Amino acid sequence: MRNFEYHRPGSLADAVALLRANEAAKLLAGGQSLLPVMKLDLAAPSDVVSLAALRDLKTIRSEGNTLVIGALATHDEVANSSEVQGRIPALASLAGGIGDAQVRNRGTIGGSVAHADPSADYPSALVALGATVETDRRRIAGDDFFLGFFQSALEPDEIVTAVHFPVPERAAYAKFPHPASKYAVAGVFVAKTGGGVRVAVTGAGTRVFRLPALESALAANFSPDAVTGGMVDPGDLRQGGESSPEYLAHLVTVMARRAIQACL
Ligand SMILES: Cc1cc2nc3c(=O)[nH]c(=O)nc-3n(C[C@H](O)[C@H](O)[C@H](O)COP(=O)(O)OP(=O)(O)OC[C@H]3O[C@@H](n4cnc5c(N)ncnc54)[C@H](O)[C@@H]3O)c2cc1C
């Protein structure tokens, strides 16, 4: 790991100012993704700007039919929040299945979505639930947030402050976890709302994606029987990894059936 300057600003405005003043600066939340890439020399920030003093960003609250989770809420806090368990139990369960106890105790929802790892769990929930990412300067629809492989819509000096999740009628997440890291080899989040059904897949592609054919089939018949093999094209999935695209396509259909079953 290279040398860097460490900062612990006391306000969001100061954190943004530090990012603007230092082009090669990086934010630090839970450090569960940033520190491993720094140790591997895949990132060498000149300045590390810790968000630890911004305690307001930890709040989890309801606003009408929306659950608002502060960017610094850890995976463990989301998993064990009575607010999340009561309003979107599938989200609490997803958070409880991330990594191991250390990762859940340090890692944050804001860090996870900003990192835009194609195998992370949260992106599927954001897209399936039609969530909105709030930053220090704007709101970005979950559909527009994850642009590609570790690529989000955030500007280099932009800070995620919260994620707004509309509360669905029913929702469930099923993942086939990597046996070592617990990242999703394939994870499927299914959400049924007054506006219809949304299905989002993580792990199997180079970024989270939806399954429109399955969404239409579920709108007509909300049952695991609505899932058919042809709904996932192996050609659209990740190539050259540990799992073949054909295997990933099969896993997605199995996870989709499990998630739908769990909604019933
Ligand atoms: C062993 C291991 C297993 C894991 N297993 C899983 C798993 O099963 N599922 C899963 O989803 N994830 C998994 N993870 C990743 C984990 O969820 C991380 O916590 C998450 O990816 C990053 O969150 P963080 O708070 O640690 O962010 P950090 O590591 O601090 O930051 C990550 C990136 O986001 C940026 N950033 C952080 N906060 C913000 C913010 N508020 N606004 C803008 N940018 C920000 C940072 O600058 C950095 O580029 C695992 C990690 C490890 C080490």
Side-chain angles (χ1 to χ4, degrees), residues 19 25-37 49 51 57 71-73 75 94 97-100 102-104 106-117 119-123 154-156 158-162 173 175 177-178 180-184:
L19 292 177
K26 275 274 183 200
L27 289 172
L28 174 70
Q32 296 305 295
S33 291
L34 181 62
L35 295 186
V37 297
V49 180
L51 295 173
L57 300 189
L72 287 186
H75 309 323
L94 174 152
I98 293 177
D100 53 26
Q102 175 182 321
V103 171
R104 291 193 293 277
R106 300 293 309 175
T108 66
I109 187 169
S112 178
V113 302
H115 197 55
D117 190 314
S119 299
D121 297 294
Y122 273 125
L154 292 173
E155 299 294 334
E158 192 166 11
I159 301 179
V160 176
T161 52
Y173 178 62
K175 83 164 159 175
H178 188 282
S181 68
K182 304 290 184 272
Y183 274 106

Side-chain angles (χ1 to χ4, degrees), residues 114-119 146-152 203 205-208 238-239:
H115 197 55
D117 190 314
S119 299
F146 301 101
L147 301 182
F149 194 66
F150 292 99
Q151 198 192 348
S152 78
T206 52
R207 67 175 171 122
V208 61
R238 209 191 279 212
Q239 315 285 321

Side-chain angles (χ1 to χ4, degrees), residues 186 188 201 204 211 232 237 247-257:
V188 179
V201 179
L211 287 177
V232 188
L237 303 184
Y247 175 65
L248 288 174
H250 176 67
L251 270 186
V252 171
T253 60
V254 175
M255 293 307 118
R257 284 194 193 101

Side-chain angles (χ1 to χ4, degrees), residues 7-196:
H7 308 267
R8 198 174 192 271
S11 72
L12 199 54
D14 287 349
V16 174
L18 281 162
L19 292 177
R20 288 194 177 147
N22 302 285
E23 207 177 293
K26 275 274 183 200
L27 289 172
L28 174 70
Q32 296 305 295
S33 291
L34 181 62
L35 295 186
V37 297
M38 286 172 67
K39 283 182 180 169
L40 292 169
D41 251 358
L42 296 172
S46 60
D47 297 76
V48 170
V49 180
S50 170
L51 295 173
L54 309 184
R55 307 295 296 176
D56 289 355
L57 300 189
K58 272 188 132 7
T59 313
I60 298 175
R61 65 181 193 282
S62 280
E63 275 179 11
N65 204 35
T66 301
L67 185 63
V68 185
I69 302 184
L72 287 186
T74 63
H75 309 323
D76 187 65
E77 286 163 346
V78 174
N80 290 303
S81 156
S82 53
E83 196 75 26
V84 183
Q85 289 171 349
R87 305 217 68 193
I88 314 183
L91 195 57
S93 158
L94 174 152
I98 293 177
D100 53 26
Q102 175 182 321
V103 171
R104 291 193 293 277
N105 276 308
R106 300 293 309 175
T108 66
I109 187 169
S112 178
V113 302
H115 197 55
D117 190 314
S119 299
D121 297 294
Y122 273 125
S124 64
L126 266 73
V127 171
L129 290 167
T132 305
V133 178
E134 181 186 325
T135 76
D136 61 289
R137 67 200 66 168
R138 60 179 170 153
R139 291 190 178 199
I140 309 168
D143 279 338
D144 303 327
F145 188 83
F146 301 101
L147 301 182
F149 194 66
F150 292 99
Q151 198 192 348
S152 78
L154 292 173
E155 299 294 334
D157 63 349
E158 192 166 11
I159 301 179
V160 176
T161 52
V163 184
H164 296 241
F165 292 96
V167 176
E169 286 170 11
R170 297 184 238 172
Y173 178 62
K175 83 164 159 175
F176 187 86
H178 188 282
S181 68
K182 304 290 184 272
Y183 274 106
V185 177
V188 179
F189 201 108
V190 175
K192 190 170 189 297
T193 67

